[in-house]
Amino acid sequence: PLSKEYLRGEKEEEKVYFKPAEFYQEQEIGLKLGASVSSLDTSNRTVELDSGESLSFDKLLLATGSRARKLDIPGNRLDGVHYLRTIGSSRRLAGDIEKGSKVVLVGAGFIGLEVAASCRMKGLEVIILEIEEVPLRHAIGEELGNICADIHRDQGVEFRLGEGITEIQGDGRAERVITSSGAELPC
C-alpha cells in the first residue's frame, strides 16, 4: 500500500497496517516498533535490543526485512530524493508528487514499478532508469519482465534500460538527474 493506494491518497494511514495495535495486545504478542536486535543468544534463548533491553523467548522467528540501497552519488541528499520504506517516507513522497510533474525513478523492481504506476495515475511524467536490460529479470524472468515493461510503456512510462545514474543536481532540491550515458533528465 505504501507504493500504491496510500501513496495516491486512496487509503487512510490506519488502514495500511496489517493489524491494528489492539490485535497484538489481544493475542498477547509483544510488539517492539523501532527497536533493533543487537545480539542473539540461542543457548539462553535471549535477544538483546540496541537499547540494552534483554528479551527471552520460547520460539524465535527471524524476519530481517530489507533495506533500500542508498545512492552513493553527488546530490543524493537533496530535497526531493526519496527512498520508499516507511509510511513517513510514503507521506513525504506523496507530498512531492502533488507538487511535481516529472519523476525519475532509479530501479525497475516491484516497488519502483508500483511507484511509477501510481505517479502515472496522478498524471506525472515518469522515466525509469534501470541498469539491467530487462526489468525484473532476476525476479520473474526475461519474458515476464518484458511484458511488465510493455504494460508500463502502454501507460506512458519511459524506460532507459541499461542506464544508471551518476549525479542528482539542483539548487537545494533535486531538479535533474545525470545518467551514466551523460543525459540530463529534468525531475
Side-chain angles (χ1 to χ4, degrees):
L2 297 183
S3 59
K4 297 178 282 194
E5 298 92 351
Y6 183 74
L7 181 61
R8 294 190 304 264
E10 299 169 2
K11 188 178 258 191
E12 297 172 18
E13 185 169 320
E14 55 273 2
K15 298 203 175 175
V16 171
Y17 297 101
F18 292 113
K19 301 285 183 184
E22 300 80 37
F23 168 84
Y24 299 99
Q25 293 169 343
E26 291 167 2
Q27 300 300 313
E28 298 181 11
I29 297 171
L31 184 61
K32 297 263 185 194
L33 299 175
S36 294
V37 173
S38 58
S39 67
L40 168 63
D41 182 344
T42 56
S43 299
N44 293 315
R45 295 179 174 242
T46 60
V47 294
E48 186 172 322
L49 303 182
D50 55 355
S51 66
E53 181 182 4
S54 182
L55 302 172
S56 61
F57 62 87
D58 294 320
K59 295 181 181 178
L60 176 69
L61 169 66
L62 295 175
T64 59
S66 64
R67 286 197 160 93
R69 291 185 307 181
K70 303 280 182 165
L71 294 171
D72 187 20
I73 59 172
N76 67 346
R77 296 189 186 275
L78 287 170
D79 283 343
V81 176
H82 297 275
Y83 297 90
L84 183 58
R85 297 298 304 155
T86 65
I87 286 178
S89 61
S90 183
R91 188 181 313 116
R92 288 185 296 278
L93 176 57
D96 275 358
I97 286 172
E98 291 300 322
K99 298 182 276 186
S101 63
K102 295 180 181 183
V103 175
V104 175
L105 292 167
V106 179
F110 289 110
I111 293 174
L113 293 175
E114 289 173 352
V115 170
S118 291
C119 289
R120 286 299 300 136
M121 290 174 77
K122 299 291 272 178
L124 281 74
E125 293 179 37
V126 177
I127 298 173
I128 296 178
L129 296 175
E130 172 55 57
I131 200 74
E132 297 291 331
E133 295 295 331
V134 176
L136 298 169
R137 182 176 59 201
H138 297 295
I140 61 175
E142 193 163 320
E143 184 177 353
L144 289 176
N146 280 320
I147 290 170
C148 285
D150 288 342
I151 290 168
H152 283 273
R153 283 186 188 102
D154 288 346
Q155 297 302 313
V157 173
E158 178 186 338
F159 284 87
R160 295 183 70 115
L161 300 172
E163 194 161 4
I165 180 173
T166 60
E167 184 176 358
I168 304 167
Q169 297 177 342
D171 187 17
R173 180 165 191 77
E175 296 172 5
R176 68 196 148 278
V177 167
I178 309 302
T179 73
S180 54
S181 72
E184 286 189 26
L185 306 176
C187 60

